[in-house]
Amino acid sequence: MAMEVTQILLNAQSVDSTVRKHSEETLKQFQEQNLPGFLLSLSGELANEEKPVDSRKLAGLILKNALDAKEQHRKFELVQRWLSLDMAVKAQIKTCLLQTLSSPVPDAHSTASQVIAKVAGIELPQKQWPELIGSLLSNIHQVPAHVKQATLETLGYLCEEVSPEVVDQDQVNKILTAVVQGMNAEEGNNDVRLAATRALYNALSFAQANFNNDMERDFIMRVVCEATQSPEVKIRQAAFECLVSISSTYYEKLAPYIQDIFNITAKAVKEDVEPVALQAIEFWSSICDEEIDILEDFGGDFTADSDVPCYYFIKQALPALVPMLLETLLKQEEDQDQDEGAWNLAMAGGTCLGLVARTVGDEIVPLVMPFIQENISKPDWRQREAATYAFGSILEGPSPDKLTPLVNVALNFMLTALTKDPNSHVKDTTAWTLGRIFEFLHGSTVETPIITPANCQLIITVLLQAMKDAPNVAEKSCGALYFLAQGYEDMGASSPLTPYFQEIVQALLTVTHREDAGESRLRTAAYETLNEVVRCSTDETAPMVLQLAPIIMTELHQTLEGQKLSSDEREKQSELQGLLCGCLQVIIQKLGASEPTKFVFMQYADQIMNLFLRVFACRNATVHEEAMLAIGALAYATGPDFAKYMPEFYKYLEMGLQNFEEYQVCAVTVGVVGDVCRALEDKILPYCDGIMTQLLKDLSSNQLHRSVKPPIFSCLGDIALAIGENFEKYLMYAMPMLQSAAELSAHTSGADDEMVEYTNLLRNGILEAYSGIFQGFKNSPKTQLLIPYAPHILQFLDSIYMEKDMDDVVMKTAIGVLGDLADTLGSNAGSLIQQSLSSKEFLNECLSSDDHLIKESAEWAKLAITRAISV
């Protein structure tokens, strides 16, 4: 069955692309024609010590990819395929894999570790391969260090692949014992210690029972803390990674160790190499995250029902923790502002300082201010930048009362620094800090305004000037202007920015045309800011927004003129098209919102729609998304007149609904179908067969990302609302789908938070569909068609009420559906409604809700029910 694959595997890595393609084809055919033989050949190759390392490594990699995939539906297929293989074939493959763990060749044994874990991930939940963990543990006592190392690696990967409930506690204890022994300082071999430390990182989620036992927990913590002192840098780093994981998984068990951990982390931050020091800071960032969550959940009052009390570790550590973090701010790197993915000690320290500020609020301010005052005017740029960064980092968390007086003093200083400081780092951080000031301390909710008629002009002048600076400084200055505009969003008729509107828009357009606008995300930031400035503008500036429309249209037109582009240029161009479509969307929304401007704006509608259709003809996913959203806005603005664009637009709508791969495009298109329904109402009828067919296909596909399904259900409701009783012919297809989805989403017992959240989205989509259908059929002679579906819908409402895990959004929609059902079906459903739980307990619960939207919905439902019952 098996065949000689060595040469084919080597050829598949050849530099010659013809040789490579040929062997890839051969492998593909072999796999399709004889899967068992294919997998056996690969596992044989991997296990054979005589074979070249390159062919063994690739054999293992192909095996691994035959067991797992990123996409859920593909992964499911591969799992089923493996489970259906002949037992003898699987046994032979597994023997080869376990044998390879003893290979002295690192590439071979580490690849085998990963494959074993993938097989275990499939088989252990099915109660297959029960002897695996035992045979791995017996390997631990083998003499050659590389066997121990490979086995510990395998246990680590296995814990990553398998969920804790699959492995019984007795085996968990044995795994942890083996791992912790491997970490012990007595273990002479560093490769083994490193493998053990990394394995513990993955095994921590299995150690719940062990962390509940004081002796075992003390032992694990001691071994981890000792490993942070290893002479080997990779072991120290891995040990700190374990501490970070423990800080979030076992926060409530940390109190006895926190003082020691502080000493260890402080020493690492001061003296150790960067990768280790970064993890030591990450420990404290992680503790902040935990305490922020706890304090947000329970609003500071700890009653008996809170799962985890807050231990206020950060508050207790403040006097020592803040100076340690401030020290790190002085360790900047020369080129960190230019490099997008940069991460270093200074950035980690500033991020942690920001989290500390959010955790403790006002208490951080007096600890940081002396550092700022001491360093802000120093000749060394590092000190000026660190002081500015410290200030920017503590602006979220403390109260405006505490910060406003300080900001008032600092503002002019910052504005001067942004124009005059000789150092680009300092300017970059200053612009970022100004952005944070405007984000957190400026807006309609802030009592004492920081921006006043006296300083507004200066601020704008400085920001527009800084937009001409180096790309990184200009990008941060756009960001500051973004938050400045956002703070004036709810100003009503007049905004302090109005006098400068023309100048701001002009400056931003100039930035988009800079030669270097491709660096530091500058062009994107300029368009995002332009959009925000337009979105937050008032009626006074509408004529200027109107003048902006043809300018952006012209720019979009220019990107569509066919010149031959390299693939790199084409990518840049489609990014630009996306930004321009986004800008037009905001302009359409702004001008479409009031009658006088809408009337004038309509002269452009045909041209704009024409441009969007040409963008679709370019075929690029991200642009499609932006153009789709903009068309949704245009449909909303033009209303029934949008019908004239449908013959041209329909094919792109259909393409969007068929786009399973780029599921965001599909989701956006579904939203636009809703917009078009609301705009056209029954004029959408000629297109409904095609749209409904595609939506029902999408719902029954297991290849479409699950996040698109809830909006598709809502969309069915939009269609029903638009075409009313004409929806009759779709009932026999749509209702069974809604019914089976409703049954699936009614019960969530044992689901994790993410699943509960998704289930609520699904329920809401289903309920919105029902609501649209009932409202669409209201006052039509055909309402009796809906009567057969009423019992099931009421049962669905009862069962989600019984589950007690719906969020406020679902609650409001659900009680609304009860009202719609009563309102549309009237006395036909009276007795059914009376028998349901929803009409009593659920209704009463909603009537006494604090949420006024739920209450309003419930009052309407009560009225409708009373009418239905009294007839």
Side-chain angles (χ1 to χ4, degrees):
M1 264 174 93
M3 80 177 229
E4 188 57 44
V5 286
T6 314
Q7 198 50 52
I8 308 172
L9 288 167
L10 292 173
N11 288 349
Q13 304 172 64
S14 159
V15 280
D16 179 343
S17 66
T18 18
V19 177
R20 200 169 60 236
K21 284 215 173 65
H22 179 68
S23 56
E24 282 168 0
E25 266 312 299
T26 315
L27 287 168
K28 197 172 156 206
Q29 281 172 353
F30 183 13
Q31 177 168 7
E32 282 162 5
Q33 284 156 14
N34 177 2
L35 182 69
F38 179 67
L39 298 175
L40 280 168
S41 300
L42 292 172
S43 58
E45 184 78 18
L46 178 60
N48 189 336
E49 291 301 327
E50 266 134 47
K51 297 296 184 184
V53 61
D54 284 344
S55 69
R56 295 176 72 183
K57 195 175 166 183
L58 183 59
L61 195 67
I62 297 174
L63 258 179
K64 190 177 115 184
N65 292 338
L67 297 166
D68 194 14
K70 277 203 170 61
E71 299 84 27
Q72 278 313 109
H73 66 96
R74 178 80 186 122
K75 183 176 180 157
F76 180 74
E77 283 165 18
L78 294 174
V79 167
Q80 293 312 315
R81 189 174 82 172
W82 172 263
L83 289 171
S84 60
L85 280 177
D86 178 62
M87 280 312 223
V89 172
K90 283 189 285 197
Q92 203 178 329
I93 293 172
K94 292 190 288 199
T95 308
C96 285
L97 290 171
L98 287 169
Q99 184 190 323
T100 313
L101 284 185
S102 313
S103 166
V105 180
D107 274 339
H109 68 64
S110 85
T111 310
S113 297
Q114 295 173 45
V115 183
I116 291 171
K118 292 292 180 197
V119 175
I122 297 174
E123 296 204 349
L124 294 183
Q126 307 283 335
K127 303 271 181 279
Q128 296 175 14
W129 211 1
E131 69 280 11
L132 168 67
I133 292 176
S135 63
L136 288 173
L137 291 167
S138 65
N139 263 356
I140 292 281
H141 308 298
Q142 299 256 340
V143 185
H146 68 260
V147 181
K148 234 185 206 180
Q149 178 200 348
T151 306
L152 285 163
E153 273 182 19
T154 309
L155 288 168
Y157 290 132
L158 185 137
C159 292
E160 201 176 5
E161 288 295 329
V162 178
S163 59
E165 60 275 7
V166 170
V167 183
D168 64 355
Q169 189 56 44
D170 177 46
Q171 286 195 315
V172 170
N173 294 342
K174 287 179 180 159
I175 292 174
L176 284 169
T177 304
V179 168
V180 174
Q181 270 172 356
M183 286 175 70
N184 236 327
E186 283 74 75
E187 172 57 61
N189 184 301
N190 275 338
D191 291 339
V192 173
R193 280 195 78 186
L194 179 60
T197 311
R198 287 180 175 162
L200 178 67
Y201 178 84
N202 287 327
L204 282 168
S205 55
F206 287 68
Q208 206 74 45
N210 314 81
F211 263 79
N212 286 333
N213 173 319
D214 294 355
M215 266 177 64
E216 293 184 26
R217 182 180 65 242
D218 284 347
F219 187 60
I220 294 173
M221 292 301 291
R222 199 192 80 222
V223 171
V224 174
C225 290
E226 280 171 6
T228 64
Q229 306 303 303
S230 158
E232 180 59 44
V233 74
K234 284 183 170 161
I235 294 175
R236 295 203 300 276
Q237 184 181 346
F240 273 113
E241 284 170 7
C242 287
L243 278 180
V244 173
S245 174
I246 290 169
S247 69
S248 60
T249 316
Y250 300 110
Y251 168 84
E252 71 283 5
K253 302 279 184 228
L254 282 176
Y257 317 103
I258 202 82
Q259 185 58 54
D260 290 339
I261 294 175
F262 181 81
N263 298 338
I264 294 169
T265 50
K267 185 169 175 293
V269 171
K270 265 200 179 56
E271 298 163 18
D272 214 328
V273 295
E274 188 170 83
V276 180
L278 286 172
Q279 288 303 321
I281 293 177
E282 187 57 38
F283 174 85
W284 292 101
S285 291
S286 171
I287 295 281
C288 288
D289 286 333
E290 290 304 308
E291 298 198 340
I292 289 168
D293 280 353
I294 295 169
L295 294 168
E296 270 178 6
D297 282 357
F298 304 112
D301 60 345
F302 292 104
T303 41
D305 66 347
S306 72
D307 311 341
V308 179
C310 183
Y311 286 100
Y312 297 103
F313 292 138
I314 299 295
K315 202 172 178 163
Q316 288 156 23
L318 266 187
L321 181 60
V322 171
M324 169 180 102
L325 294 172
L326 291 171
E327 269 311 285
T328 63
L329 301 186
L330 294 159
K331 300 186 176 164
Q332 309 94 326
E333 282 171 11
E334 284 292 345
D335 55 354
Q336 64 183 40
D337 296 333
Q338 273 69 36
D339 174 13
E340 276 210 18
W343 186 246
N344 56 39
L345 211 54
M347 296 165 90
T351 303
C352 187
L353 193 64
L355 288 165
V356 172
R358 287 176 53 199
T359 311
V360 301
D362 289 358
E363 289 176 56
I364 196 169
V365 178
L367 293 170
V368 175
M369 284 319 290
F371 176 84
I372 297 173
Q373 283 151 350
E374 187 185 336
N375 290 293
I376 196 84
S377 304
K378 282 283 201 305
D380 179 356
W381 73 266
R382 288 178 183 278
Q383 291 173 287
R384 298 198 303 280
E385 195 275 339
T388 313
Y389 190 16
F391 191 51
S393 298
I394 61 166
L395 291 168
E396 184 187 6
S399 63
D401 296 349
K402 187 87 176 166
L403 292 172
T404 305
L406 301 172
V407 169
N408 282 330
V409 175
L411 193 59
N412 279 346
F413 188 93
M414 300 256 162
L415 293 169
T416 308
L418 184 53
T419 35
K420 301 220 168 81
D421 199 289
N423 182 280
S424 164
H425 289 282
V426 178
K427 286 183 178 177
D428 181 300
T429 305
T430 303
W432 173 78
T433 300
L434 284 168
R436 304 256 303 170
I437 291 174
F438 301 151
E439 182 178 2
F440 299 114
L441 296 168
H442 155 62
S444 54
T445 50
V446 182
E447 310 225 326
T448 29
I450 280 175
I451 301 164
T452 58
N455 64 13
C456 187
Q457 184 172 4
L458 177 63
I459 292 172
I460 290 167
T461 309
V462 169
L463 290 178
L464 298 191
Q465 183 58 39
M467 281 186 211
K468 298 175 185 156
D469 211 310
N472 55 310
V473 178
E475 188 265 336
K476 302 278 194 315
S477 306
C478 287
L481 187 57
Y482 177 99
F483 289 114
L484 181 69
Q486 196 177 67
Y488 288 126
E489 187 181 352
D490 308 317
M491 286 298 286
S494 171
S495 154
L497 293 189
T498 300
Y500 312 105
F501 186 82
Q502 190 86 32
E503 198 184 336
I504 291 172
V505 169
Q506 197 43 61
L508 287 164
L509 288 172
T510 306
V511 172
T512 65
H513 294 133
R514 277 175 57 157
E515 287 289 303
D516 54 6
E519 294 168 38
S520 298
R521 278 190 73 255
L522 178 55
R523 183 176 287 117
T524 308
Y527 277 114
E528 283 171 356
T529 304
L530 178 60
N531 294 353
E532 199 60 10
V533 168
V534 169
R535 197 179 68 76
C536 301
S537 63
T538 59
D539 292 347
E540 299 172 288
T541 46
M544 289 181 249
V545 177
L546 203 55
Q547 287 166 5
L548 182 60
I551 296 173
I552 303 291
M553 285 161 63
T554 307
E555 302 220 348
L556 183 55
H557 178 77
Q558 279 163 357
T559 65
L560 293 162
E561 288 311 289
Q563 60 279 58
K564 286 275 171 277
L565 296 175
S566 68
S567 65
D568 193 34
E569 287 173 320
R570 193 173 308 119
E571 194 173 316
K572 283 195 178 120
Q573 185 163 18
S574 58
E575 195 183 328
L576 178 58
Q577 286 174 350
L579 292 168
L580 292 165
C581 289
C583 188
L584 283 170
Q585 183 194 344
V586 177
I587 293 173
I588 294 167
Q589 283 166 333
K590 194 76 204 168
L591 297 172
S594 72
E595 284 307 319
T597 49
K598 184 154 114 179
F599 180 71
V600 188
F601 171 70
M602 279 309 138
Q603 62 180 340
Y604 296 124
D606 291 1
Q607 286 164 280
I608 288 190
M609 188 64 190
N610 194 23
L611 285 169
F612 292 152
L613 292 171
R614 285 183 61 192
V615 168
F616 281 129
C618 291
R619 303 284 309 131
N620 178 303
T622 46
V623 184
H624 271 205
E625 217 174 313
E626 298 294 343
M628 242 338 147
L629 287 164
I631 287 179
L634 189 65
Y636 184 79
T638 49
D641 293 344
F642 189 80
K644 64 179 172 182
Y645 305 125
M646 280 303 287
E648 272 289 296
F649 172 51
Y650 177 71
K651 64 176 174 201
Y652 297 115
L653 200 62
E654 197 162 48
M655 269 154 79
L657 294 177
Q658 286 163 356
N659 197 339
F660 287 176
E661 282 67 56
E662 295 140 349
Y663 65 88
Q664 290 91 339
V665 177
C666 186
V668 165
T669 310
V670 170
V672 171
V673 171
D675 293 335
V676 173
C677 286
R678 283 183 283 280
L680 295 184
E681 295 183 329
D682 59 359
K683 284 190 182 168
I684 195 164
L685 200 54
Y687 304 96
C688 281
D689 282 3
I691 291 173
M692 282 298 294
T693 306
Q694 200 47 56
L695 291 176
L696 295 169
K697 249 192 212 149
D698 286 357
L699 284 174
S700 49
S701 154
N702 63 350
Q703 286 176 20
L704 182 61
H705 195 275
R706 68 176 194 180
S707 64
V708 191
K709 301 207 168 171
I712 291 178
F713 283 122
S714 316
C715 188
L716 298 179
D718 294 330
I719 292 172
L721 205 52
I723 63 173
E725 60 177 37
N726 293 305
F727 195 79
E728 173 193 355
K729 64 172 173 180
Y730 307 123
L731 284 174
M732 58 185 280
Y733 307 105
M735 285 309 214
M737 280 218 168
L738 283 163
Q739 194 160 337
S740 59
E743 276 158 20
L744 279 176
S745 77
H747 306 295
T748 53
S749 52
D752 56 11
D753 290 354
E754 200 181 320
M755 196 58 202
V756 171
E757 194 179 327
Y758 174 71
T759 304
N760 273 320
L761 288 170
L762 197 57
R763 290 169 175 172
N764 197 55
I766 295 164
L767 290 164
E768 285 183 338
Y770 284 143
S771 173
I773 291 169
F774 280 127
Q775 289 178 35
F777 275 84
K778 191 182 168 174
N779 298 332
S780 141
K782 294 183 177 169
T783 39
Q784 79 279 359
L785 293 172
L786 300 179
I787 296 169
Y789 304 110
H792 174 265
I793 293 172
L794 289 165
Q795 187 192 331
F796 175 51
L797 292 173
D798 285 354
S799 57
I800 58 176
Y801 171 63
M802 295 296 290
E803 285 285 308
K804 296 282 182 236
D805 59 2
M806 57 177 142
D807 56 26
D808 287 354
V809 181
V810 175
M811 206 167 199
K812 177 186 170 303
T813 322
I815 204 68
V817 167
L818 182 66
D820 289 329
L821 186 146
D823 188 40
T824 299
L825 298 183
S827 57
N828 292 319
S831 60
L832 278 173
I833 293 171
Q834 277 176 298
Q835 289 157 29
S836 75
L837 263 179
S838 309
S839 64
K840 302 179 192 60
E841 295 172 37
F842 182 36
L843 182 64
N844 290 333
E845 197 173 303
C846 293
L847 285 168
S848 55
S849 166
D850 300 336
D851 184 322
H852 76 99
L853 290 171
I854 294 178
K855 202 170 171 169
E856 232 168 72
S857 248
E859 278 161 359
W860 178 80
K862 186 180 175 181
L863 203 72
I865 291 171
T866 316
R867 280 202 303 265
I869 292 172
S870 65
V871 173

